Amino acid sequence: MTLAARIDHTLLRPDCTETQIIRLCEEAAAHGFASVCVPPCYVALATGQLAGTGVPVCTVIGFPLGYATSAVKFKEAEVALYDGATELDMVINISALKSGKADTIQAEILDLADLCHVHQALLKVIIETALLTEEEVVLAAGLCVAGEADFVKTSTGFASRGASVADVELLRRVLPATMRIKAAGGIRTREAALALVAAGADRIGSSNSLALITSTDEPTAA
């Protein structure tokens, strides 16, 4: 698999424009990126732009802070799926996690996973490792497994730091082999991306995707 095929080509800045989203889609189709990840308000636009290309549209739910109510996240997910998204990156309620409300988080993940799977869509759960202790990362990872998510994602890219090799190694160590990992946030070089893949990341989320690939993008380890 090429590195490009592992990358979610991402543009989530609050000042992004329609023109930039269209260019993002063109780049994703040209380079064979795994998906485009766009703000919810641009899902329908991206879906239209990518029709027939085979590139999925991803968007974010409860982003970037995660503490919207479960009902709001569910509705946000419904709208995104209706608009054409087939991958959803949802931020957990970090406040609830730190308050000991694991059951609430697991229920939220399970509800969104059920909704996604009815629509043949993927759910990636962002746990924001920068804000968690190692014990909390392990707890959050377990809740993602119990909630039947498809991926655990390290970061929003809006916290104090993004993904680290140590984060991915820890997740790969505690997660079952069937649970995939997405590393995101602050991945600006090809070397950094390849190190995260080597540590166990199945996907890379980056707004600097073009700098991560080469014109002869070599396959990465399966």
Side-chain angles (χ1 to χ4, degrees):
M1 180 185 292
T2 64
L3 182 58
R6 294 181 183 272
I7 296 173
D8 291 343
H9 193 31
T10 301
L11 180 56
L12 295 171
R13 293 198 317 269
D15 60 345
C16 65
T17 65
E18 285 192 5
T19 299
Q20 291 170 329
I21 295 295
I22 290 169
R23 184 163 61 248
L24 188 85
C25 293
E26 292 171 346
E27 291 167 351
H31 294 285
F33 287 123
S35 79
V36 296
C37 188
V38 300
C41 61
Y42 287 126
V43 168
L45 173 64
T47 299
Q49 290 294 312
L50 290 167
T53 68
V55 178
V57 175
C58 173
T59 194
V60 288
I61 304 297
F63 193 85
L65 301 177
Y67 51 37
T69 65
S70 295
V72 168
K73 289 180 182 176
F74 192 87
K75 185 62 179 180
E76 196 174 8
E78 284 186 318
V79 172
L81 293 167
Y82 176 82
D83 284 346
T86 56
E87 300 190 6
L88 303 184
D89 289 16
M90 185 271 289
V91 188
I92 65 164
N93 189 329
I94 300 157
S95 175
L97 182 77
K98 288 183 172 289
S99 299
K101 297 182 177 179
D103 289 348
T104 299
I105 295 169
Q106 183 178 319
E108 179 176 273
I109 295 170
L110 188 58
D111 283 348
L112 283 177
D114 285 346
L115 176 65
C116 285
H117 297 159
V118 165
H119 291 271
Q120 290 77 54
L122 298 175
L123 178 66
K124 309 190 202 95
V125 178
I126 307 172
I127 64 173
E128 199 69 281
T129 53
L131 302 181
L132 304 182
T133 65
E134 185 171 309
E135 288 181 352
E136 288 168 341
V137 169
V138 173
L139 172 60
L143 294 173
C144 292
V145 174
E148 301 180 5
D150 300 288
F151 283 78
V152 178
K153 179 178 173 182
T154 63
S155 321
T156 61
F158 283 68
S160 57
R161 66 168 179 85
S164 72
V165 167
D167 290 334
V168 175
E169 288 176 340
L170 173 60
L171 289 170
R172 188 68 284 158
R173 195 161 62 243
V174 302
L175 288 169
T178 52
M179 176 65 77
R180 288 168 281 180
I181 297 169
K182 177 176 173 179
I187 305 169
R188 297 185 178 87
T189 67
R190 181 178 178 83
E191 292 71 26
L194 291 174
L196 290 163
V197 170
D202 302 279
R203 287 277 189 98
I204 298 293
S206 180
S207 57
N208 201 38
S209 309
L210 297 181
L212 306 186
I213 61 173
T214 66
S215 58
T216 57
D217 193 25
E218 301 90 349
T220 60

